[in-house]
Amino acid sequence: MDHRAGEPAPAPVPAPEPTPDPRRWWALVVIALAQLMVVLDATIVNIALPSAQRDLGITDGNRQWVITAYSLAFGGLLLLGGRIADLVGRKRTFLLGLTGFALASVFGGAATGPGLLFAARALQGAFAAVLAPSALSLLTTTFTDPEERAKAFGTYGTLSASGAAIGFIVGGLLTEYLNWRWCLYVNVPIAIAAITIALTVLRDRPDPTAARLDVPGVLLGCGGLISIVYAVSEAEPRGWTHPLVPTLLATGIALMTVFVWWQTRAPVPLLPLHVVRDRNRAGCFLTMALAVVGMFGMFLFMTYYLQVVLKYSPVQTGLAFLPLTASIVTGSTQISARLINRVPPRMLMAPGMLLAAAGMLVLTRMTVHSTYTTQILPALVLMGLGMGLTFMPVFSTATAGVDPQDAGVTSATVNTSQQVGGSIGTTLLNTIATTSGTAYLATHLTAPGSRAQIAAEATVHGYTVAIRCAAGTMLLASVVAALMVTGRPTRQNTPTEETAVPESIT
């Protein structure tokens, strides 16, 4: 614009601040419902499994597939689901995941034989692999204000950490008072409510710059993950020395090695390596994987300990996990969400994992005669607070500062570390528990006492040995968080830092 000579040019008018979408909190409700459904379904079937096994005539050797089919499809296809969300739009994949998950749940609830139930669980896992990363990436791009981001990720972290415990509670109630099939049907009303709200409040569009899917990357990455998860799942029934297990492990490692090499050369990589090269994100991914190794193992052992050793009913077992859930909510929403903008993330994550490890160590003292209020309850409270302190900053830090075109695949990587860590941890710790229990039984059969009493003591001994190993993984997670996660509080970050929200998102 022309101006008179000697007069200063008029100052540029700053662009108005973008007006936050008033419906963003409803978006959080939808995302929270979806996350709860995905995490809850990973454990809700556990308590219903004995009833389903009797009803459908599933053999002891095949019953693991009710759990493994879900985790295998979920963990193996997450990277693909995250990249699909980036390519075709997060809202579209979110709705596709919700719809498919609900239909697969109906299919599984109506199953008349083992094969149909296994297939339905695999379909659930596949649609969960589409749903989970799109939900987290929608959360990442919807909440950019530091204060609101802390609240949103506090809620998300709470559901991610407590969803498994909630699954035990809901599974116990549905199994005891209705039928095991309702552990699958319950997903339908949740999905309908989420879809109804999502159609109105979610806003998103695909990124036009990312127009191709890395097909070789899909085959290599998903194939490698599936091989590794499958190998670990087969190690429990077959044993680690069975030829199939090391063959699958070697195949998975080889595929993942070639996958990493290909990602450095692919025009549009499935997983851009700069996502995992970032020190803070890598630390969060590793912390998450190590944390859930111990957490999922604890869920498995405590479920059997309460029902088999202490003779709790399914409902009593579910209610016994309530203090854990309440502690997770407290640690995530009342501590982490309030401090995430004031202290570095590792100052929450590292102490959180120490608290969780302390809770695990308390459980190593349990016996066949332990009481819930004096020994189990304190341990659950410590673990809940620790996981609440850890999970919220992990999700927030891992997804902060990600370019919009990489939001889906970054979210998928967080979920992959959680799912793969949980699958591997459950199998490894269960193998340790079984081996230790068998060794204890063999050396104590000549001791005075009934055979049933000695068998119960052997079972609890196996649990405590495995829980001690789980405590070790959580201590290692604390060290990883303290050394690798170097990000500063969100409020102190500047736009030049990697943890700042990109201008393109705002």
Side-chain angles (χ1 to χ4, degrees):
M1 181 182 294
D2 294 333
H3 58 276
R4 296 180 181 177
E7 293 183 5
V13 178
E17 291 289 330
T19 304
D21 189 344
R23 293 169 298 187
R24 63 194 182 282
W25 295 109
W26 279 106
L28 176 60
V29 172
V30 174
I31 295 167
L33 282 174
Q35 178 66 10
L36 176 62
M37 188 172 67
V38 169
V39 178
L40 179 147
D41 211 75
T43 57
I44 192 173
V45 179
N46 283 18
I47 288 183
L49 184 54
S51 299
Q53 183 178 359
R54 289 192 301 269
D55 193 13
L56 299 180
I58 304 173
T59 65
D60 288 345
N62 288 332
R63 66 184 177 185
Q64 61 152 335
W65 282 103
V66 177
I67 308 300
T68 304
Y70 180 86
S71 61
L72 190 63
F74 191 10
L77 298 175
L78 268 166
L79 286 177
L80 174 60
R83 184 49 85 193
I84 290 175
D86 291 330
L87 291 176
V88 305
R90 298 171 191 94
K91 179 178 178 179
R92 292 178 184 176
T93 52
F94 185 81
L95 292 172
L96 172 65
L98 280 172
T99 304
F101 198 92
L103 292 176
S105 299
V106 173
F107 180 38
T112 56
L116 293 177
L117 181 58
F118 300 157
R121 291 288 288 167
L123 278 176
Q124 279 186 310
F127 282 109
V130 174
L131 178 60
S134 59
L136 184 53
S137 57
L138 279 168
L139 190 71
T140 301
T141 54
T142 300
F143 294 93
T144 56
D145 176 77
E147 294 289 344
E148 292 186 351
R149 183 180 176 87
K151 294 177 182 177
F153 274 89
T155 302
Y156 189 89
T158 297
L159 291 173
S160 296
S162 64
I166 296 172
F168 287 121
I169 299 170
V170 177
L173 291 169
L174 293 175
T175 301
E176 187 156 332
Y177 293 111
L178 290 174
N179 186 285
W180 67 266
R181 298 178 185 275
W182 281 96
C183 291
L184 295 165
Y185 289 147
V186 71
N187 294 315
V188 177
I190 298 175
I192 291 174
I195 291 170
T196 302
I197 304 173
L199 288 171
T200 306
V201 303
L202 291 183
R203 293 287 181 270
D204 185 52
R205 60 182 180 180
D207 178 17
T209 64
R212 288 191 298 165
L213 184 64
D214 177 18
V215 176
V218 170
L219 297 176
L220 291 168
C222 295
L225 286 174
I226 288 175
S227 294
I228 292 172
V229 175
Y230 185 29
V232 175
S233 68
E234 286 296 292
E236 182 181 353
R238 297 176 184 269
W240 288 99
T241 57
H242 190 280
L244 179 64
V245 175
T247 300
L248 286 171
L249 279 176
T251 301
I253 293 171
L255 288 173
M256 293 305 297
T257 302
V258 179
F259 169 76
V260 172
W261 169 82
W262 171 250
Q263 295 308 284
T264 63
R265 291 159 175 78
V268 184
L270 179 67
L271 175 61
L273 293 184
H274 65 262
V275 170
V276 293
R277 284 196 188 110
D278 177 83
R279 179 171 179 167
N280 287 303
R281 292 192 195 104
C284 288
F285 298 151
L286 188 53
T287 299
M288 172 64 78
L290 292 170
V292 297
V293 164
M295 185 179 74
F296 276 68
M298 181 273 296
F299 284 145
L300 176 67
F301 301 136
M302 291 310 299
T303 299
Y304 278 94
Y305 175 77
L306 293 172
Q307 291 196 53
V308 176
V309 179
L310 298 187
K311 306 301 182 184
Y312 280 26
S313 69
V315 171
Q316 288 175 318
T317 302
L319 294 176
F321 282 103
L322 270 179
L324 175 72
T325 305
S327 299
I328 291 172
V329 172
T330 301
S332 184
T333 63
Q334 302 303 313
I335 302 177
S336 284
R338 294 174 183 270
L339 296 179
I340 190 66
N341 293 327
R342 296 177 175 84
V343 301
R346 64 179 173 181
M347 296 302 293
L348 297 170
M349 295 161 60
M353 282 292 92
L354 286 177
L355 274 178
M360 287 285 191
L361 290 175
V362 172
L363 286 180
T364 61
R365 298 173 58 86
M366 67 186 184
T367 68
V368 293
H369 303 296
S370 293
T371 58
Y372 177 81
T373 54
T374 59
Q375 198 157 4
I376 309 303
L377 178 60
L380 294 179
V381 171
L382 285 174
M383 285 188 288
L385 287 174
M387 288 186 288
L389 282 172
T390 303
F391 276 47
M392 182 268 171
V394 163
F395 283 118
S396 180
T397 305
T399 57
V402 179
D403 291 333
Q405 65 268 21
D406 293 330
V409 73
T410 304
S411 304
T413 308
V414 181
N415 282 284
T416 299
S417 64
Q418 183 179 20
Q419 189 63 31
V420 173
S423 299
I424 293 174
T426 299
T427 301
L428 282 174
L429 294 176
N430 194 51
T431 301
I432 292 171
T434 303
T435 305
S436 302
T438 302
Y440 182 94
L441 186 63
T443 56
H444 288 76
L445 280 178
T446 57
S450 67
R451 186 178 182 89
Q453 175 70 17
I454 295 174
E457 291 174 354
T459 299
V460 175
H461 173 76
Y463 292 164
T464 56
V465 171
I467 289 173
R468 193 173 294 116
C469 296
T473 65
M474 288 189 165
L475 288 173
L476 182 58
S478 177
V479 173
V480 169
L483 296 180
M484 292 187 65
V485 183
T486 59
R488 297 194 298 175
T490 306
R491 190 187 297 273
Q492 296 180 12
N493 291 338
T494 65
T496 60
E497 294 179 277
E498 288 186 3
T499 52
V501 177
E503 198 173 34
S504 55
I505 293 181
T506 309

